[in-house]
Amino acid sequence: MAENSAELRIKGGKVYDPANGIDGEVRDILVRDGRVVDKVSEKARTINAHGMVVMPGGVDIHCHIAGPKVNLSRKLQPEDHRLDVHPGTDVTRSGVGGVTPSTFATGYRYATLGYTTAFDAAVPPLAARHVIEEFHDTPVIDKGFYVLLGNNMFLYDLLKQGRKQDFKEAIAWWVTAARAAGVKLVNAGSDEFWKGRRNENVTDVNEDIDPFDLSPLQATAAFIEAVDELNLPHPAHIHCNNLGHSGNVQTTLDTMKAAEGHRAHIAHVQFHSYAGELGKRVQTGSEAIIDYINTHENITTDVGMVMFGKATAMTADAPLTWMLRFKDTKWVNADTECESGCGVMPFTYQDTNYTHTMQWAIGLELFLLSKDPWRVMFSTDHPNGASFQTYPRLIRLLMDRGFRAEMMKHVNQKAISTCLLPQLDREYSLSEIAIITRAAPARALGLVNKGHLGVGADADITVYTDDENREHMFNAPRYVIKAGKPIIEDHEFVDDHIGRFLHTEPEHDPAIEDQIRPFFEDYYSIRFNNYRVDASYLHDHEVIPLRNSGGKRKKGSK
Amino acid sequence: MHTELELVTAPEVPIEAECLSPAKIKGLSQSGIEHLEMMHGNRKVRVGDFFRVTGNGQCSLRLEGDLSRVKYIGAGMTEGEVRVNGSAGMHLGAGMSGGMIRVSGDASDWVGPEMSGGRIEVMGNAGHMVGSAYRGQRVGIMGGEILIHGNVKNELGSAMRHGLIAVGGQAGDFVGVNMRAGTIIVMDEMGVRPGAGMVRGTIVSFQPVELLPTFSYSCWLRPTFLRFYLCHLGQSGFEVDDVYMGGRYRRYCGDSVEENRGEILVFDSR
């Protein structure tokens, strides 16, 4: 190590920092004590980045990387792990890869793509402890999760009784108790159909959910409003109803309309942009969806792209995986008491298949038709659309129309001929890629110190060799610096890092606990006092400030 | 000409010796073979630390001694011959696609997983999961022959897709579980639930068996193909009585929880 390991000067790289309006300018990035600063001493170690591309570390806004559902997927696919061993090095630990890598391999493999922050998108409160414990073993990256509240029976009861204020207090309590960074809704209302009526799903978002006298759309709207009014850093993160069904465009539009006047984040919108008739072939509905998003500033979205190859359907949308499962495929359903559902199923996207090709094309169309990269972000809903390990290839598809055309030759031609994709020749620039993979997710999550390289930002920095082949470039950053510490140098791991746990703490009236407790003691399998995640789980953590707090952050105590 | 390796130091914990296959040693000098790497527990060791090597790398390999703690003998082999004078450890011939392995003693669990061609002959007994799919995989062996002269334990040929497995002695439970296609012949008694979840394929038993209720009797027959198979086995050193050659077999089809296109042939009478 150099003379002063806490200080770094990344010299002469082309810096892409869209949040601060820097687009490929050659400049030095200075780092001290884990932060970007404007001055370092003479003794600072210099990293020569001449001719290289410098970006903030990647931020994954929507993935599934920890918790019981990921563990189910790991257990379900031993063959996947056996063929993809992740050996340890002198500084890193070993693991196994595949579509759902083991905890250690997950952290390292994110790092080798230049990602330094990731958010798990679906955690039932009951599983929060498990998730935080797995996070502790997921190295390098900073991480947090959204808590699943969209099918919570207690909250539905409050809505039925019209107790809006208590509803809001209860959401705030749950977010705080689970130590979440946001609120996730998955196919709101579906669990009543699934568990209560045996294997059914929501078909009409305006149909009442028994026994709550409330439609899925009304419930979704109530959550959107409450989360916005609570000033949570990230708006309600919504997995709309009718995922994966032909003709779900209307449902998605209805959901976005229900959010009018409030912030909302529509997750993996690719899976919700299907035109056509229910039960018939999927057609592209990307234009209708992206037009709405382009003209409505209150909506942010991540695309949830599909890439051909192995994936795993892993969702709290239990009826969906029930519908998708085929003979001969493995499928597992898990119960999460009064809070949510869960289904996991290994899945392979094939380029010869009409529907899969359509899904692949719609993901690209949404990006190529998007007008505001700050609101249409990059994700594959790992591992649902594809593993996060396919990000470099998808980035190349966005940046290289020649590569796209070449790939279009080898997919299902019937599907591609009905798509808009062959007519779109837009190419993403490096700056736009930096927005959709870094700056925009950080902004949407309220992470004021991530996704940019201004003074005061966390020193999560990636340095790429500027390669014409963007897949090669994004597959192997030359340097990855996490919290001011070089983790990867010349493509090799040189250090390990634990990474911080990110969560938020909305204010709420403690009296709401007295309302939840009796319901809990009646219906849950564990005691109420064991439910809340206590402070002993928070080792290296940071509280994401609420929107009204002026961006001041509380530093977690060690 | 052949290369001879004699196990002179007994390993304390199992050795994973994927290098003990003709493809890996062919063309190497004696010291080249001695320097090949193996895993001894979690440590890297050299072949020379445990084996006395005689001769250069040939297509024919002789292994002497008790190799019951040496795993992956003949793994991935495509040609040539491996003869083990003694016992062999787990994963014998894993992923092999050609060539021949002959073990004079016993073999352990997982004989020939992921095999797609070639032949494995074990003169003694073998363990569990002979000719089976690795855990989690949908399809097991894709071809080749596994001939066990002694007894085997559970899950013989699970999920096998193609090829022949013959057992001269007894077999454990779940013979041919989840079988996709191929042929399994067991000459002595077999355990419970043969053919559970089988899609296609043939299981032949010379002794009466207890079948699952999802198998139904369809007919009796004197299968011609079986004569060819049994003649072939006779030539390979199995003792096959003439009564089985032209005998009458009861045919049960199943498993009806799957496609009901598999069959179990049970020897009935002369």
Side-chain angles (χ1 to χ4, degrees):
Chain A
M1 277 278 124
E3 309 85 287
N4 187 348
S5 59
E7 288 193 327
L8 277 180
R9 179 192 298 273
I10 301 165
K11 202 170 155 67
K14 287 179 276 181
V15 176
Y16 289 85
D17 182 9
N20 294 311
I22 299 168
D23 182 8
E25 222 173 277
V26 174
R27 55 164 72 196
D28 295 357
I29 300 290
L30 310 175
V31 173
R32 187 171 57 234
D33 298 331
R35 292 290 161 77
V36 177
V37 291
D38 51 6
K39 216 187 238 168
V40 288
S41 68
E42 288 286 296
K43 286 187 204 155
R45 185 182 161 207
T46 302
I47 288 177
N48 186 353
H50 280 286
M52 297 184 201
V53 170
V54 179
M55 284 188 186
V59 179
D60 198 341
I61 196 168
H62 189 112
C63 59
H64 301 272
I65 52 170
K69 63 184 187 306
V70 181
N71 256 0
L72 276 175
S73 164
R74 290 175 183 140
K75 283 189 245 177
L76 209 54
Q77 303 180 76
E79 75 282 12
D80 204 27
H81 301 311
R82 193 171 65 82
L83 301 173
D84 188 7
V85 175
H86 185 95
T89 67
D90 290 344
V91 289
T92 60
R93 299 183 55 162
S94 61
V96 286
V99 175
T100 39
S102 61
T103 52
F104 290 104
T106 301
Y108 297 132
R109 289 191 175 191
Y110 259 114
T112 52
L113 300 180
Y115 272 75
T116 50
T117 308
F119 280 79
D120 190 290
V123 174
L126 273 170
R129 268 164 217 276
H130 179 166
V131 168
I132 296 171
E133 285 181 5
E134 275 199 21
F135 275 168
H136 192 67
D137 281 346
T138 307
V140 186
I141 54 174
D142 288 347
K143 50 254 155 182
F145 65 83
Y146 317 134
V147 67
L148 283 163
L149 295 179
N151 278 298
N152 187 306
M153 289 180 76
F154 180 78
L155 292 173
Y156 271 46
D157 242 357
L158 291 180
L159 280 181
K160 182 187 175 184
Q161 295 162 26
R163 291 158 64 188
K164 274 276 163 78
Q165 187 56 31
D166 282 349
F167 176 71
K168 233 166 80 178
E169 299 286 353
I171 290 179
W173 180 85
W174 248 296
V175 170
T176 312
R179 312 285 181 182
V183 172
K184 173 83 182 289
L185 311 184
V186 172
N187 196 0
S190 68
D191 277 9
E192 272 322 301
F193 290 82
W194 169 244
K195 296 179 184 174
R197 292 192 199 165
R198 279 185 77 182
N199 309 345
E200 284 184 32
N201 197 355
V202 172
T203 45
D204 179 0
V205 284
N206 291 310
E207 185 190 351
D208 272 1
I209 316 161
D210 271 353
F212 297 111
D213 305 328
L214 185 75
S215 73
L217 203 57
Q218 285 169 325
T220 307
F223 275 104
I224 292 171
E225 189 185 334
V227 172
D228 199 15
E229 283 174 6
L230 282 168
N231 280 313
L232 291 190
H234 185 50
H237 196 96
I238 304 157
H239 162 139
C240 302
N241 304 90
N242 287 332
L243 182 145
H245 292 274
S246 303
N248 62 12
V249 167
Q250 199 49 48
T251 307
T252 314
L253 289 173
D254 286 348
T255 309
M256 290 196 284
K257 279 176 197 148
E260 204 107 341
H262 296 285
R263 297 175 301 139
H265 183 92
I266 306 294
H268 40 71
V269 73
Q270 178 274 128
F271 289 106
H272 302 279
S273 304
Y274 303 154
E277 271 175 69
L278 185 64
K280 298 266 173 66
R281 282 199 151 172
V282 170
Q283 283 160 13
T284 176
S286 53
E287 227 173 349
I289 298 291
I290 202 70
D291 279 353
Y292 188 93
I293 294 170
N294 282 340
T295 50
H296 290 76
E297 295 263 316
N298 61 325
I299 305 287
T300 54
T301 181
D302 62 270
V303 169
M305 300 172 89
V306 156
M307 188 64 218
F308 305 115
K310 266 204 92 173
T312 300
M314 175 191 295
T315 173
D317 194 343
L320 172 79
T321 50
W322 160 262
M323 181 196 81
L324 284 176
R325 85 203 194 295
F326 304 112
K327 196 172 180 306
D328 283 3
T329 52
K330 309 172 195 181
W331 166 72
V332 63
N333 179 57
D335 183 32
T336 40
E337 306 199 6
C338 306
E339 306 182 327
S340 176
C342 171
V344 178
M345 188 193 72
F347 196 84
T348 303
Y349 291 97
Q350 296 162 346
D351 52 11
T352 49
N353 181 298
Y354 175 90
T355 310
H356 301 171
T357 300
M358 211 67 198
Q359 293 177 301
W360 173 78
I362 291 171
L364 290 167
E365 281 173 14
L366 287 164
F367 268 123
L368 300 175
L369 293 168
S370 145
K371 294 215 172 87
D372 185 358
W374 288 95
R375 292 191 292 110
V376 181
M377 301 161 212
F378 188 86
S379 79
T380 62
D381 191 10
H382 161 82
N384 286 284
S387 161
F388 66 83
Q389 293 154 74
T390 62
Y391 288 180
R393 171 156 287 202
L394 286 165
I395 289 174
R396 186 175 176 203
L397 282 168
L398 292 176
M399 295 189 75
D400 183 344
R401 80 170 82 99
F403 181 57
R404 213 154 59 212
E406 184 56 37
M407 200 144 170
M408 268 189 268
K409 286 184 199 156
H410 304 291
V411 299
N412 185 301
Q413 294 304 308
K414 209 167 193 176
I416 214 78
S417 63
T418 65
C419 288
L420 301 171
L421 188 60
Q423 294 133 46
L424 302 173
D425 54 6
R426 175 174 175 191
E427 286 182 335
Y428 268 64
S429 65
L430 273 177
S431 180
E432 284 172 315
I433 293 294
I435 296 173
I436 62 171
T437 59
R438 291 143 158 88
R443 184 178 284 184
L445 286 160
L447 303 171
V448 286
N449 297 309
K450 294 204 183 291
H452 72 102
L453 296 172
V455 170
D458 288 344
D460 299 348
I461 305 165
T462 47
V463 181
Y464 296 101
T465 314
D466 194 358
D467 192 328
E468 276 292 290
N469 183 334
R470 300 304 187 188
E471 186 178 353
H472 289 175
M473 170 174 163
F474 283 97
N475 223 338
R478 189 78 180 262
Y479 297 94
V480 174
I481 290 139
K482 179 78 191 84
K485 202 161 66 167
I487 302 294
I488 293 178
E489 282 187 35
D490 287 331
H491 310 300
E492 299 284 342
F493 277 95
V494 293
D495 208 345
D496 206 348
H497 180 78
I498 288 184
R500 262 173 299 174
F501 173 60
L502 308 170
H503 62 111
T504 189
E505 286 179 351
E507 290 143 22
H508 60 276
D509 179 4
I512 193 69
E513 252 186 71
D514 300 332
Q515 311 262 351
I516 302 170
R517 188 188 301 268
F519 172 84
F520 196 94
E521 299 290 6
D522 281 352
Y523 294 112
Y524 272 68
S525 62
I526 63 168
R527 303 302 301 268
F528 187 66
N529 291 339
N530 297 329
Y531 188 50
R532 207 189 152 92
V533 180
D534 61 65
S536 68
Y537 279 77
L538 307 174
H539 310 281
D540 300 301
H541 74 119
E542 186 182 314
V543 178
I544 310 170
L546 298 177
R547 273 163 66 85
N548 57 355
S549 64
K552 259 181 80 181
R553 71 162 152 195
K554 278 198 277 177
K555 180 90 190 351
S557 53
K558 179 122 189 174
Chain B
M1 273 298 288
H2 58 259
T3 316
E4 194 170 309
L5 276 80
E6 190 187 347
L7 187 70
V8 286
T9 314
E12 278 172 48
V13 291
I15 291 178
E16 294 189 358
E18 275 133 327
C19 58
L20 295 184
S21 113
K24 303 270 171 63
I25 63 161
K26 194 174 151 188
L28 292 181
S29 65
Q30 185 168 326
S31 79
I33 299 170
E34 282 168 352
H35 279 81
L36 285 171
E37 281 181 347
M38 323 184 279
M39 293 301 287
H40 181 225
N42 58 3
R43 301 221 170 85
K44 271 189 187 153
V45 293
R46 308 224 173 254
V47 169
D49 298 344
F50 288 88
F51 290 92
R52 185 189 300 130
V53 182
T54 320
N56 300 333
Q58 304 289 335
C59 237
S60 169
L61 182 62
R62 294 270 163 90
L63 301 170
E64 302 277 343
D66 177 16
L67 281 84
S68 55
R69 279 189 168 168
V70 181
K71 299 181 181 177
Y72 293 100
I73 295 169
M77 69 188 268
T78 52
E79 53 167 351
E81 183 187 69
V82 176
R83 281 175 190 268
V84 182
N85 281 330
S87 295
M90 284 162 65
H91 308 281
L92 176 74
M96 74 187 279
S97 56
M100 206 272 276
I101 299 176
R102 191 186 165 95
V103 179
S104 70
D106 296 339
S108 186
D109 302 338
W110 298 107
V111 173
E114 296 195 325
M115 184 175 179
S116 59
R119 179 171 172 165
I120 300 175
E121 246 185 293
V122 177
M123 306 312 286
N125 302 325
H128 298 288
M129 313 301 296
V130 172
S132 291
Y134 273 129
R135 294 295 184 210
Q137 263 166 339
R138 290 168 58 190
V139 178
I141 67 170
M142 301 292 282
E145 279 178 19
I146 301 177
L147 311 176
I148 312 284
H149 290 259
N151 303 329
V152 299
K153 294 179 180 166
N154 298 341
E155 294 195 49
L156 173 72
S158 97
M160 77 183 277
R161 173 77 179 71
H162 197 59
L164 169 68
I165 301 177
V167 177
Q170 297 170 349
D173 297 342
F174 285 110
V175 169
V177 58
N178 293 333
M179 193 170 167
R180 307 277 158 153
T183 309
I184 298 177
I185 299 172
V186 179
M187 302 188 180
D188 206 342
E189 287 175 353
M190 61 169 77
V192 295
R193 303 184 193 104
M198 76 191 288
V199 180
R200 295 188 307 276
T202 304
I203 299 173
V204 180
S205 173
F206 287 177
Q207 310 299 331
V209 288
E210 187 187 328
L211 291 175
L212 285 167
T214 46
F215 281 82
S216 50
Y217 175 73
S218 64
C219 61
W220 67 262
L221 73 164
R222 298 182 193 275
T224 318
F225 84 92
L226 204 53
R227 283 189 211 179
F228 291 101
Y229 273 64
L230 295 179
C231 280
H232 172 68
L233 292 179
Q235 285 160 7
S236 307
F238 281 84
E239 280 175 32
V240 186
D241 199 322
D242 275 354
V243 295
Y244 300 119
M245 292 268 190
R248 176 173 139 157
Y249 288 79
R250 291 169 71 80
R251 179 181 186 270
Y252 295 87
C253 61
D255 187 339
S256 60
V257 297
E258 286 296 334
E259 291 170 21
N260 210 27
R261 282 155 66 199
E263 61 179 5
I264 299 182
L265 304 176
V266 184
F267 178 74
D268 183 42
S269 58
R270 183 174 284 274

